[in-house]
């Protein structure tokens, strides 16, 4: 049951309407105000679910989010049951909702979530790439230069990375990833998740670039990229960093301890002793 004066975020199906939770269906029928990223898609969803909306439906997307958050806060202050839904998946995650959550909490209103489908987790689970540690990077920049600049710092990221992308930019983005991360880095492209033509393509980035350039990529796309292999450093590799920091005025022991902290397998005492010998 939705509660008066509480802001509720609800995950919607990412493709198959049968993935809608019972709680989502009840919430759509109970809400006094539904803020929807695309009102047409919302009405199509409720028809498929055979749910009747009794409250007010308000368009709430990236272009009017700032303006209409005030309307949501007013409704909460009046004790209305306010629900936020987006086109697919969880609000806030690369979708509208964050501004409303922050404003609602600052105003003292409670925020709750009806969990459900997630394109990030669905693609990660199906990718065949290590899921124990991952980072969600959202949509890469559209322009080639900015995209390359955003991907380059991630080349050493050891966690699995998950990206969203549009179908028309998938080939270009995969090519940028191959340039930044290396042709042989393993990845997976998931498209049309939970839909009739769901497809998961796995391989090296070079192989996926070849596939994407040869075929027309359709549907919503999630790209999962394996993290970088850890680089094992030795005390010999790191001693110059310690000496440079000591030359800049830092205590030798503190410098050795701090440098060793970021490199597994290298002890602070070993690094300190070696630095003493090199001084």
């Amino acid at each position: 049951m939705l509660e008066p004066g509480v802001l509720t975020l609800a995950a919607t199906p990412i493709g198959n309407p049968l993935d809608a939770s019972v709680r989502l269906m009840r919430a759509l029928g109970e809400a006094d105000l539904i803020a929807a990223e695309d009102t047409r898609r919302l009405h199509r969803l409720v028809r498929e679910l055979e749910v009747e909306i009794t409250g007010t439906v308000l368009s709430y997307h990236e272009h009017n989010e700032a303006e209409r958050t005030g309307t949501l806060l007013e409704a909460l202050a009046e004790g209305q049951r306010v629900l936020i839904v987006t086109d697919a998946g969880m609000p806030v995650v690369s979708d509208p909702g964050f501004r409303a959550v922050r404003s609602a909490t600052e105003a003292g209103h409670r925020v709750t979530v009806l969990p459900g489908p997630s394109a990030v987790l669905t693609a990660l689970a199906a990718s065949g790439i290590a899921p124990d540690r991952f980072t969600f990077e959202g949509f890469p920049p559209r322009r080639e230069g900015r995209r390359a600049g955003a991907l380059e710092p991630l080349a050493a990221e050891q966690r699995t990375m998950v990206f969203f992308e549009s179908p028309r930019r998938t080939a270009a983005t995969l090519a940028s990833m191959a340039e930044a991360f290396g042709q042989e880095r393993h990845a997976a492209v998931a498209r049309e998740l939970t839909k009739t033509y769901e497809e998961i393509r796995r391989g090296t980035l070079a192989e996926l670039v070849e596939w994407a350039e040869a075929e027309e990529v359709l549907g919503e796309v999630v790209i999962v990229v394996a993290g970088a292999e850890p680089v094992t450093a030795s005390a010999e590799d790191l001693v110059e960093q310690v000496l440079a920091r000591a030359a800049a005025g830092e205590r030798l022991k503190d410098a050795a301890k701090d440098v060793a902290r970021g490199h597994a397998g290298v002890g602070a005492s070993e690094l300190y002793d070696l630095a003493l010998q090199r001084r």
Side-chain angles (χ1 to χ4, degrees):
M1 296 284 291
L2 296 185
E3 298 180 45
V6 174
L7 176 65
T8 301
L9 311 177
T12 55
I14 59 176
N16 192 326
L18 295 179
D19 291 334
S21 70
V22 173
R23 293 181 70 193
L24 170 64
M25 294 170 66
R26 290 179 177 175
L28 289 170
E30 293 175 1
D32 299 309
L33 176 62
I34 301 175
E37 183 179 12
D38 186 327
T39 58
R40 292 170 300 179
R41 292 185 67 164
L42 170 64
H43 286 298
R44 183 165 66 244
L45 175 64
V46 296
R47 285 196 302 270
E48 291 171 329
L49 299 178
E50 298 181 354
V51 171
E52 182 181 356
I53 293 177
T54 59
T56 301
V57 175
L58 179 73
S59 172
Y60 189 72
H61 48 72
E62 63 176 331
H63 301 298
N64 65 13
E65 187 176 5
E67 171 192 346
R68 295 202 167 166
T69 293
T71 303
L72 303 190
L73 292 181
E74 290 174 5
L76 291 170
E78 293 170 359
Q80 293 189 40
R81 296 166 296 182
V82 179
L83 180 69
I84 294 180
V85 294
T86 54
D87 289 352
M90 181 63 69
V92 178
V93 182
S94 280
D95 275 326
F98 173 71
R99 189 187 298 269
V101 170
R102 183 171 59 184
S103 298
T105 55
E106 289 175 350
H109 299 291
R110 193 160 71 86
V111 176
T112 189
V113 176
L114 306 187
S118 164
V120 173
L121 297 181
T122 302
L124 181 65
S127 68
I129 296 173
D132 50 337
R133 296 175 65 242
F134 71 93
T135 173
F136 174 60
E137 296 295 333
F139 284 91
R142 297 184 180 189
R143 295 182 180 178
E144 184 177 355
R146 292 184 61 191
R147 184 168 61 240
L151 293 175
E152 186 177 352
L154 297 175
E157 173 60 67
Q158 295 181 19
R159 294 171 294 180
T160 296
M161 295 169 282
V162 183
F163 301 83
F164 285 165
E165 190 50 286
S166 76
R168 66 180 180 275
R169 289 194 298 272
T170 295
T173 292
L174 288 170
S176 296
M177 289 176 172
E179 181 70 23
F181 305 151
Q183 302 279 332
E184 298 306 308
R185 182 80 69 93
H186 283 273
V189 177
R191 67 175 197 89
E192 294 287 81
L193 287 170
T194 77
K195 299 179 183 178
T196 302
Y197 298 105
E198 174 181 288
E199 181 180 21
I200 313 291
R201 284 275 178 169
R202 306 172 183 86
T204 64
L205 284 170
E207 292 168 341
L208 291 174
V209 169
E210 183 178 359
W211 161 75
E213 290 178 344
E215 297 189 22
E216 183 182 10
V217 179
L218 300 173
E220 301 297 325
V221 172
V222 183
I223 302 173
V224 183
V225 183
E229 292 294 329
V231 177
T232 303
S234 67
E236 289 284 349
D237 298 324
L238 301 172
V239 67
E240 292 302 326
Q241 293 184 37
V242 177
L243 292 172
R245 291 172 64 157
E250 191 172 350
R251 289 183 59 215
L252 188 65
K253 184 170 290 188
D254 292 338
K257 184 178 181 180
D258 193 50
V259 170
R261 186 182 294 117
H263 297 84
V266 178
S269 59
E270 176 190 11
L271 198 51
Y272 175 68
D273 291 342
L274 184 58
L276 279 178
Q277 294 173 20
R278 294 285 182 86
R279 258 187 158 178

